[in-house]
Amino acid sequence: MHAKVQAQHDEGSMTDTMRLFKWGVEGGKPAPGKVGVQSEWFYKGDGSTVVRPNSTFLVPDFATDHGEEPEVVGLYVIGPDRTPYRLGYAIGNECTDHVMEKKNYLYLAHSKLRACSFGPELRVGELPRNVEGMAKIIRGEKVIWQKAFASGEDNMCHTLANLEYHHFKYDQFIRPGDVHIQFFGTSIASFGDGVFAVEGDRFEISIASFGKPLVNGIRRSRDRTTDRIIRQL
């Protein structure tokens, strides 16, 4: 994507996604004390969407895909004085419906409303500028897909401080006692290589410096959302 941005100078010929990415490359790492360009981000859902490590993702009946997105997550708690306090970082899997997302970029917000997971360990202190990890899909006893990924500020077009500012500048996100999980983005996904996870597969995401890997299974929900009836009170 960096190469495409450098080769495509005319913003008028870019997609909205490419244009936002270009703005991030150019203005996502402001000087200390300055505000950089806003990043693109989406609401993942409330805490009910979080699946414990070593547990199974439940895929809704209307989903067209449930692909992994290996990322680093930041974990925060809002103090009594409405100050966000960063607890640390963990491995994250921000599963997304990539087939739906690809149909139209306006479906991207819908595609993010899926289960996710993070952990199993918390890394405290500063995040290394370069973080290297490995993502795998395991089917039975066989690894059917694996790929290295990178995170940390050296591999991001926004600083963590800029991402955090544009999250917590909203008053509704600094309610005392609330906990926030922020996924910092990924550079790879099996979907991009034409690989699709199916029921019974396992995702495994590892970052050596973060401790144990994050492992989750995948299962299709047997609930029929079309049976839900909205009634007038």
Side-chain angles (χ1 to χ4, degrees):
M1 215 169 177
H2 278 281
K4 290 180 182 178
V5 165
Q6 291 169 355
Q8 199 171 9
H9 298 294
D10 180 15
E11 283 196 14
S13 62
M14 291 182 176
T15 64
D16 287 337
T17 298
M18 286 293 294
R19 192 175 295 113
L20 274 172
F21 185 80
K22 178 176 182 288
W23 294 346
V25 171
E26 295 173 345
K29 294 184 175 180
K34 302 293 184 180
V35 175
V37 68
Q38 293 187 101
S39 63
E40 180 184 23
W41 57 264
F42 299 91
Y43 177 65
K44 188 67 183 171
D46 58 22
S48 65
T49 65
V50 177
V51 174
R52 293 176 182 273
N54 300 310
S55 296
T56 300
F57 291 128
L58 194 62
V59 182
D61 64 333
F62 57 82
T64 51
D65 176 43
H66 197 75
E68 85 300 325
E69 288 197 0
E71 307 182 30
V72 170
V73 301
L75 295 91
Y76 307 84
V77 63
I78 310 303
D81 59 352
R82 291 164 59 88
T83 297
Y85 290 91
R86 188 191 315 111
L87 302 173
Y89 304 92
I91 301 170
N93 187 351
E94 188 210 347
C95 282
T96 298
D97 191 331
H98 296 103
V99 174
M100 177 181 289
E101 175 186 347
K102 193 173 182 180
K103 289 180 179 179
N104 189 297
Y105 81 99
L106 293 176
Y107 283 162
L108 184 50
H110 295 263
S111 75
K112 296 293 184 181
L113 295 177
R114 300 290 185 273
C116 62
S117 188
F118 58 88
E121 299 193 46
L122 175 70
R123 180 187 173 107
V124 297
E126 295 299 319
L127 182 70
R129 294 193 60 85
N130 182 58
V131 175
E132 297 180 352
M134 180 68 68
K136 299 178 182 178
I137 298 177
I138 302 169
R139 185 166 296 165
E141 301 301 320
K142 182 181 179 181
V143 176
I144 65 164
W145 176 86
Q146 65 177 350
K147 202 164 193 176
F149 68 94
S151 188
E153 285 193 357
D154 284 353
N155 304 294
M156 298 164 64
C157 56
H158 290 267
T159 61
L160 292 174
N162 194 49
L163 293 175
E164 291 170 341
Y165 167 75
H166 286 297
H167 180 170
F168 293 112
K169 69 183 181 183
Y170 295 102
D171 285 345
Q172 60 264 47
F173 292 158
I174 54 171
R175 187 169 57 186
D178 279 3
V179 171
H180 289 255
I181 309 299
Q182 187 169 4
F183 288 85
F184 291 132
T186 190
S187 57
I188 62 106
S190 58
F191 175 80
D193 292 335
V195 177
F196 297 86
V198 298
E199 186 168 31
D201 288 351
R202 300 191 313 279
F203 297 118
E204 181 180 301
I205 302 172
S206 59
I207 300 174
S209 60
F210 279 53
K212 296 177 181 178
L214 174 62
V215 179
N216 294 101
I218 180 171
R219 179 171 67 84
R220 278 266 172 188
S221 173
R222 304 299 183 251
D223 292 338
R224 290 167 49 90
T225 55
T226 53
D227 291 339
R228 296 178 186 175
I229 299 172
I230 310 303
R231 294 179 170 86
Q232 180 65 47
L233 286 175

